[in-house]
Amino acid sequence: MINIIYEDNHLLVVEKQINIPVQADDSKDIDFLTMLKDYIKKRDNKPGNVYLGLVHRLDRPVGGIMVFAKTSKCASRLSEQIRTKVFKKTYYAVVENKIEPEGKLIDKLLKDTKRNIVRVDDKGKLAILEYKLISYKDNLSLIKINLETGRSHQIRVQFSSRGYPLYGDQRYNKNAKVGEQIALFSNSITFNHPITKERLSFEINLPNRKPWNIFKV
């Protein structure tokens, strides 16, 4: 079941479930973009191909809120908002150990495309985020994150490199156990409607599963 949060003739705001690639990759697994196009095609009984513009991404194991453009004009305008930082994304994460109450993390991140991993490296691209500690329990910190840049694996690598790996992160947390789900969630997005210019903001609840349910927020 696809959870559509908002839709008009220009936009589709929807919740991506965990462990689904946003777009087609080497795994050949069904991807979210294709799922949405098929859903709209069947729902609206469209005879031809459905246009849906992908303007931002979430890592495969990460769930949360996304917006897709239903026209190329809207896709271009949303992409420009991302480039100029008008488009805002908020994430929540659960990291191991007790982190400082708040902070700003600045690194350069380099992607190894062959191994699909990212590391801190002076040759990489600038990555910036700000975070705030929301709650601490059982040696786990619940944090709220505002991204200034949107690099691949950015949140996961920036916190892991400082000794605060994300709970359940099979790639960057050596303590993660098989079967655990990464505790990273795209909670809200805010942007200007590409046609009406109205400032829009959408938010969804955090998952009701471990480790999220350890905290009462």
Side-chain angles (χ1 to χ4, degrees):
M1 182 65 181
I2 294 175
N3 179 21
I4 293 179
I5 299 161
Y6 173 84
E7 184 177 9
D8 61 19
N9 291 332
H10 314 285
L11 302 172
L12 180 67
V13 180
V14 63
E15 179 181 0
K16 181 184 104 60
Q17 300 299 320
I18 60 175
N19 297 327
I20 297 174
V22 169
Q23 61 187 138
D25 60 17
D26 293 339
S27 73
K28 308 301 182 185
D29 293 336
I30 185 69
D31 63 278
F32 196 43
L33 187 59
T34 298
M35 289 170 61
L36 291 173
K37 287 181 178 181
D38 288 346
Y39 171 80
I40 293 172
K41 183 179 179 67
K42 291 175 183 176
R43 184 196 66 185
D44 299 345
N45 195 27
K46 287 184 175 291
N49 294 328
V50 173
Y51 177 87
L52 208 56
L54 178 66
V55 296
H56 67 117
R57 293 166 175 78
L58 289 177
D59 292 345
R60 178 173 182 146
V62 178
I65 196 165
M66 295 186 70
V67 59
F68 293 84
K70 296 175 75 174
T71 68
S72 58
K73 178 189 288 187
C74 290
S76 176
R77 290 180 178 179
L78 286 173
S79 295
E80 177 65 11
Q81 289 187 48
I82 292 173
R83 189 187 70 80
T84 56
K85 298 181 173 57
V86 174
F87 189 105
K88 303 294 184 182
K89 293 185 285 185
T90 300
Y91 291 80
Y92 277 81
V94 178
V95 301
E96 294 187 359
N97 304 315
K98 188 170 186 180
I99 200 167
E100 293 297 315
E102 58 185 32
K104 185 172 187 175
L105 308 186
I106 303 175
D107 294 295
K108 288 189 175 180
L109 302 182
L110 186 66
K111 185 171 185 178
D112 182 337
T113 53
K114 289 184 178 180
R115 299 167 61 201
N116 194 27
I117 61 170
V118 176
R119 67 177 185 273
V120 176
D121 192 300
D122 287 340
K123 297 178 182 178
K125 295 180 179 179
L126 185 65
I128 305 173
L129 64 78
E130 294 182 341
Y131 76 87
K132 182 178 180 181
L133 176 64
I134 303 300
S135 184
Y136 173 74
K137 189 175 182 180
D138 299 339
N139 204 36
L140 295 173
S141 297
L142 175 67
I143 55 176
K144 183 178 181 180
I145 301 162
N146 290 314
L147 279 180
E148 289 192 24
T149 57
R151 308 302 180 196
S152 180
H153 297 187
Q154 177 180 339
I155 293 172
R156 301 160 69 181
V157 174
Q158 287 197 276
F159 284 101
S160 177
S161 68
R162 289 167 169 80
Y164 305 104
L166 271 65
Y167 175 96
D169 188 348
Q170 306 292 329
R171 187 157 298 181
Y172 299 105
N173 183 355
K174 66 181 187 301
N175 299 322
K177 297 179 176 61
V178 175
E180 287 181 342
Q181 182 62 44
I182 187 172
L184 179 60
F185 191 76
S186 174
N187 162 257
S188 71
I189 52 173
T190 301
F191 56 90
N192 296 336
H193 192 288
I195 303 301
T196 69
K197 312 303 181 186
E198 179 186 0
R199 191 69 171 165
L200 301 176
S201 187
F202 302 97
E203 182 175 331
I204 53 179
N205 294 329
L206 298 179
N208 185 24
R209 62 173 185 269
K210 188 179 180 182
W212 304 102
N213 54 14
I214 294 174
F215 306 94
K216 293 182 179 180
V217 180

